[in-house]
């Protein structure tokens, strides 16, 4: 079955450490996205990528980094520069058809990061 | 960045009741999406709307793309306990990322 997989489901990090969240999709989608969700709040875009080896900052990119070396993979690194990293992180992917109707995003099941 | 407003922010209903929620924007969109998120999981797409005035159903769910292209509505008929969750709307325009609303949190009382 095609889908998008995030791992791990739960992650604990000590203050001052970098940590990388994995996101893999086998949907052959062009675009991938990272969102942050805080309790009782909506989704805020961190980074997105529409093509391999290229990515763009979203609304809250500070303290985060990404790479897109393969179409299927879009890992997110939460660096020690991120002041409040405890949150629920969601990865998504989508088809890109320029000039046509926008297709919806398929989301992974999320990674809950807690800084201890 | 661009923001959507969702109303109500939260709602408590009795099992069997119908539910209505809406999403508004100051900008026009050419696509509206409705997602449901269960606790601790990622959002799942419920309904996608691509044309102003379009009315689309998915089981007990019905969504409409507003005529002004600045709003959308979601109705759930005869609610059941598994309808509990957060419902997000998202608006999209050609070539642009989707913008998500803050969500409506639905609780169903038995």
């Amino acid at each position: 079955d095609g889908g998008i997989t995030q791992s791990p489901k739960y992650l604990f990090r000590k203050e001052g450490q970098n940590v990388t969240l994995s996101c893999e999709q086998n949907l052959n989608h062009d675009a991938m996205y990272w969102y942050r969700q805080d309790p009782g709040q909506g989704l805020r875009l961190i980074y997105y990528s529409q093509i391999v080896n290229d990515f763009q900052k979203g609304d809250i990119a500070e303290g985060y980094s990404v790479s897109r070396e393969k179409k299927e993979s879009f890992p997110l690194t939460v660096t020690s520069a991120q002041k409040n990293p405890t949150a629920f992180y969601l990865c998504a992917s989508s088809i890109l058809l320029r000039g046509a109707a926008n297709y919806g995003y398929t989301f992974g099941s999320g990674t809950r990061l807690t800084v201890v | 960045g661009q923001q959507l407003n969702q109303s109500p922010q939260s709602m408590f209903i009795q099992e069997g009741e119908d539910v209505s929620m809406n999403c508004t924007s100051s900008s026009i969109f050419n696509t509206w999406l409705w997602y449901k998120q269960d606790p601790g999981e990622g959002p799942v797409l419920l309904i996608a709307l691509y044309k102003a005035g379009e009315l689309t159903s998915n089981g007990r769910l019905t969504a409409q793309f507003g005529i002004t292209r600045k709003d959308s509505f979601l109705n759930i008929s005869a609610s059941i306990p598994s309808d509990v969750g957060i419902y997000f709307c998202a608006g999209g325009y050609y070539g642009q990322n989707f913008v998500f609303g803050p969500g409506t949190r639905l609780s169903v009382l038995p």
Side-chain angles (χ1 to χ4, degrees):
Chain A
D1 285 340
I4 181 165
T5 302
Q6 290 187 241
S7 62
K9 182 68 174 175
Y10 300 95
L11 190 57
F12 296 88
R13 189 197 90 176
K14 291 184 178 179
E15 282 194 29
Q17 287 182 339
N18 293 354
V19 64
T20 297
L21 282 60
S22 170
C23 180
E24 303 275 336
Q25 55 98 0
N26 60 3
L27 299 166
N28 199 32
H29 284 176
D30 304 295
M32 298 186 74
Y33 311 82
W34 275 105
Y35 285 89
R36 170 179 171 141
Q37 186 177 29
D38 292 288
Q41 296 194 26
L43 308 178
R44 292 187 290 169
L45 183 63
I46 305 172
Y47 268 99
Y48 65 99
S49 168
Q50 297 184 336
I51 194 170
V52 173
N53 292 324
D54 187 51
F55 46 83
Q56 307 296 328
K57 291 181 179 180
D59 300 320
I60 56 165
E62 185 175 353
Y64 300 98
S65 66
V66 293
S67 63
R68 186 90 185 273
E69 297 177 1
K70 300 186 301 181
K71 186 176 183 179
E72 301 80 17
S73 179
F74 192 41
L76 173 74
T77 297
V78 184
T79 75
S80 56
Q82 168 50 236
K83 293 183 175 26
N84 185 20
T86 295
F88 190 53
Y89 291 88
L90 287 161
C91 181
S93 67
S94 72
I95 298 170
L96 276 184
L97 288 179
R98 302 189 191 285
N102 294 354
Y103 288 87
Y105 298 169
T106 300
F107 283 89
S109 58
T111 292
R112 185 167 300 281
L113 172 64
T114 303
V115 173
V116 297
Chain B
Q2 210 172 21
Q3 291 188 346
L4 299 182
N5 297 309
Q6 279 191 252
S7 178
Q9 188 174 14
S10 62
M11 54 194 316
F12 294 82
I13 61 168
Q14 293 288 137
E15 184 176 351
E17 288 184 352
D18 295 343
V19 174
S20 292
M21 60 187 78
N22 66 67
C23 189
T24 59
S25 169
S26 57
S27 305
I28 62 171
F29 292 115
N30 71 310
T31 303
W32 282 100
L33 308 173
W34 285 93
Y35 285 87
K36 180 187 180 227
Q37 184 180 29
D38 291 327
E41 298 295 327
V44 174
L45 183 64
L46 299 173
I47 294 178
L49 302 159
Y50 298 106
K51 186 177 177 182
E54 179 182 356
L55 189 70
T56 298
S57 293
N58 178 5
R60 293 178 296 105
L61 278 62
T62 302
Q64 184 163 24
F65 193 138
I67 291 291
T68 66
R69 297 172 64 189
K70 293 183 178 181
D71 54 10
S72 181
F73 310 89
L74 177 69
N75 295 314
I76 305 173
S77 63
S79 60
I80 59 178
S82 62
D83 290 334
V84 167
I86 304 174
Y87 291 80
F88 289 102
C89 62
Y93 198 75
Y94 297 117
Q96 297 178 8
N97 294 332
F98 277 94
V99 179
F100 286 82
T104 291
R105 186 178 296 272
L106 177 64
S107 300
V108 179
L109 306 173

